[in-house]
Amino acid sequence: MWAVKGCAAHYQRIVRAACEQAQRGRGTIAVNDAWKRSLTSHAAATNTFIQKALTELGLPTRFEKILMTPRREVSVQVTILKDNNEIATFNAYRVQHDNSRGPYKGGIRYHPQCDLDDVRSLASLMTWKTAVMDVPFGGAKGGVTVDPGQLSGEELQRLTKQLVHSLKDVIGPYADIPAPDMNTGAREMAWFFDEYSKYSGFSPAVVTGKPVSLHGSLGRDSATGRGVFLAANSLLEHEGLESIKGKTVAIQGFGNVGGWAAKLIHEYGGKVIAISDISGAIVSEKGVNVDNLLEHVNEGNSLITYTDDGASEIPAHEILEIKCDVFIPAALGGVIDGEVAEKMNCKFIVEGANGPTLPEGDDVLQSRGIKILPDIYANGGGVAVSYMEWVQNLQELNWTLDEVNQKLAHTMEGAFQQIWTIHTERGVPLRTAAFMLALDKVLRVRRQRGFV
């Protein structure tokens, strides 16, 4: 566990360094370009996928506005005193999309290019993800327009606590439960819990993703990556290919999600032949020993300097064209467009990142017979274990790691079976099947509650 945690921290450090270089005009422009691309693509892509699902369900297009319109959008200015006694003010957002199935649920990200449109779209995706995973939550998302790499630890703590002060009237254990997201983690959630408890009393269930020593859950750190692994395994099994064992896998992204997915795939006999992060990519025909690679990265080395197992460096974009059985995009969104999709050489795609495939890329992949297991299911392990952490906090109990992992496996398998049934019975792609499942659940509950 410690190895992958270190890998995620290393990934965050190099992302920040790359962004700083780009801002100074010295290179790594692709980092900012990819981020801007994901920002502009999220909302439009989600709308397109919802429209396809509505058509298959035979529902009027007027439902699109109902389903896409958030119930509440909060925009605030968060002001802090910096270590040099200067005042700094940051824009912050919390979008609460839908709570028909339960309290709002979604992460809070810190990023210099975070904006309301981005947060709005990701809140919508959380509604569909919680519905697909069949956990009793709705969808929300939050963000602060800030480069966390430019703030000290003390400044980040002040920022987080001021954010709680600004949002305390719209969040709560039974109202809206935030969680970690891009550039936030257990540390920020601990600060969040502490500050909220000053206003409302001891309230560990107000956020998930806390440190295990501070009412967090065992297995939460690995949950999203483990879910990706379980999703890939289920897909291969239902395709008549038994399991991940012996299959070749390429993974774009070696942070928390990609790192844990790679570790588990390797552990269960899969052959990870290519891995990339912001520094570049490596390829190994015989497969990378992921445990050794994690140790290499945790020692402060760049991923691309790993040469064991016959590994060699390739340009980062070439990982998208690697011949493999399973490709796992686990980095930024919007990386697979129509042009990229034409060049991909895999049999299956399991989306570990949010929104990695644009609609035009999705169409090309479908026409080429490449099956895609969508993000609203494949990376749903995180919210599934967040729900388990919330339950443990409310019930004041603790589950063992084995119990959490078993419950996660049960949840992932149950959701997959529902998607697969729609996929096979209706003859629709897995993404459309997942959205059909989510829309049907949300609309049914909205009708039952009298919302529509």
Side-chain angles (χ1 to χ4, degrees):
M1 179 171 68
W2 290 105
V4 180
K5 282 184 178 178
C7 175
H10 169 77
Y11 184 73
Q12 287 184 339
R13 287 197 299 272
I14 57 181
V15 166
R16 290 170 184 169
C19 286
E20 289 170 9
Q21 283 185 334
Q23 289 165 2
R24 291 193 297 265
R26 298 193 315 191
T28 325
I29 301 300
V31 175
N32 279 347
D33 286 347
W35 175 259
K36 290 174 183 175
R37 186 180 184 186
S38 70
L39 286 180
T40 58
S41 65
H42 270 146
T46 301
N47 275 323
T48 299
F49 297 140
I50 285 177
Q51 287 167 355
K52 289 182 178 180
L54 285 172
T55 299
E56 290 293 338
L57 288 169
L59 295 171
T61 54
R62 67 174 182 273
F63 280 110
E64 181 186 341
K65 184 174 183 179
I66 296 173
L67 293 168
M68 290 302 299
T69 303
R71 288 186 170 273
R72 177 188 285 151
E73 296 181 350
V74 179
S75 298
V76 297
Q77 300 280 320
V78 179
T79 300
I80 64 168
L81 181 66
K82 298 186 70 178
D83 295 342
N84 61 5
N85 287 324
E86 291 183 359
I87 298 294
T89 300
F90 306 92
N91 294 322
Y93 315 96
R94 186 67 177 174
V95 175
Q96 297 172 329
H97 178 261
D98 184 272
N99 66 345
S100 58
R101 298 184 61 258
Y104 299 108
K105 186 79 182 79
I108 292 179
R109 57 179 48 194
Y110 290 172
H111 195 281
Q113 290 171 303
C114 176
D115 64 14
L116 182 58
D117 286 339
D118 178 47
V119 174
R120 183 185 293 127
S121 178
L122 292 170
S124 169
L125 282 176
M126 280 303 299
T127 296
W128 318 128
K129 186 178 298 186
T130 56
V132 165
M133 298 305 296
D134 208 24
V135 294
F137 287 139
K141 207 70 169 185
V144 181
T145 309
V146 58
D147 181 356
Q150 299 299 312
L151 299 182
S152 69
E154 290 76 12
E155 289 168 339
L156 282 171
Q157 182 177 149
R158 291 177 209 133
L159 175 67
T160 303
K161 294 200 169 191
Q162 280 298 111
L163 179 64
V164 176
H165 176 76
S166 298
L167 299 179
K168 61 182 171 56
D169 293 329
V170 297
I171 61 172
Y174 295 100
D176 184 351
I177 305 105
D181 201 277
M182 185 176 289
N183 292 326
T184 59
R187 178 184 66 170
E188 286 77 16
M189 296 306 103
W191 295 335
F192 208 102
F193 152 59
D194 175 72
E195 187 68 12
Y196 183 82
S197 294
K198 292 177 182 177
Y199 297 104
S200 301
F202 180 71
S203 306
V206 70
V207 289
T208 58
K210 302 179 296 295
V212 173
S213 58
L214 195 66
H215 311 287
S217 175
L218 294 168
R220 175 62 183 86
D221 185 60
S222 63
T224 307
R226 181 176 292 274
V228 170
F229 157 71
L230 292 168
N233 214 46
S234 290
L235 177 59
L236 293 169
E237 179 183 341
H238 283 74
E239 287 288 337
L241 299 173
E242 295 186 358
S243 71
I244 200 73
K245 185 176 182 180
K247 307 303 184 298
T248 54
V249 182
I251 303 176
Q252 182 193 43
F254 201 52
N256 178 272
V257 178
W260 274 108
K263 179 177 175 63
L264 290 165
I265 288 167
H266 175 69
E267 182 180 325
Y268 282 83
K271 186 193 253 187
V272 181
I273 61 170
I275 301 178
S276 72
D277 67 7
I278 199 68
S279 68
I282 57 172
V283 62
S284 168
E285 187 176 339
K286 72 175 185 179
V288 174
N289 184 315
V290 176
D291 291 330
N292 290 345
L293 176 59
L294 286 167
E295 183 178 351
H296 172 83
V297 169
N298 290 340
E299 290 173 351
N301 301 304
S302 172
L303 178 141
I304 58 175
T305 62
Y306 183 80
T307 56
D308 292 352
D309 312 313
S312 59
E313 180 184 357
I314 59 172
H317 71 273
E318 289 188 9
I319 196 168
L320 293 157
E321 303 170 22
I322 291 287
K323 184 177 181 179
C324 58
D325 294 314
V326 180
F327 179 75
I328 299 175
L332 290 174
V335 295
I336 303 176
D337 58 15
E339 182 179 351
V340 169
E342 290 283 6
K343 300 176 182 178
M344 296 190 76
N345 201 8
C346 58
K347 298 174 183 175
F348 306 98
I349 295 175
V350 179
E351 295 183 337
N354 283 320
T357 308
L358 299 178
E360 58 268 29
D362 192 72
D363 291 340
V364 171
L365 293 168
Q366 295 297 339
S367 70
R368 296 183 59 209
I370 298 174
K371 282 199 170 181
I372 311 158
L373 203 49
D375 51 356
I376 61 169
Y377 163 70
N379 66 23
V383 74
V385 177
S386 281
Y387 168 63
M388 297 177 204
E389 179 178 336
W390 181 68
V391 169
Q392 291 173 80
N393 291 161
L394 292 178
Q395 299 296 322
E396 298 182 348
L397 52 81
N398 294 297
W399 290 329
T400 66
L401 179 59
D402 284 344
E403 286 178 310
V404 171
N405 288 341
Q406 287 170 11
K407 291 176 190 296
L408 173 58
H410 177 76
T411 300
M412 294 296 297
E413 178 60 26
F416 184 88
Q417 289 289 355
Q418 293 180 72
I419 295 169
W420 189 259
T421 297
I422 298 172
H423 165 64
T424 54
E425 291 183 354
R426 299 290 293 269
V428 297
L430 289 167
R431 187 188 308 281
T432 303
F435 271 96
M436 288 170 66
L437 176 65
L439 294 175
D440 180 67
K441 286 182 179 181
V442 172
L443 279 172
R444 188 186 317 133
V445 170
R446 281 194 168 201
R447 289 191 184 105
Q448 290 169 341
R449 297 187 65 174
F451 290 0
V452 294

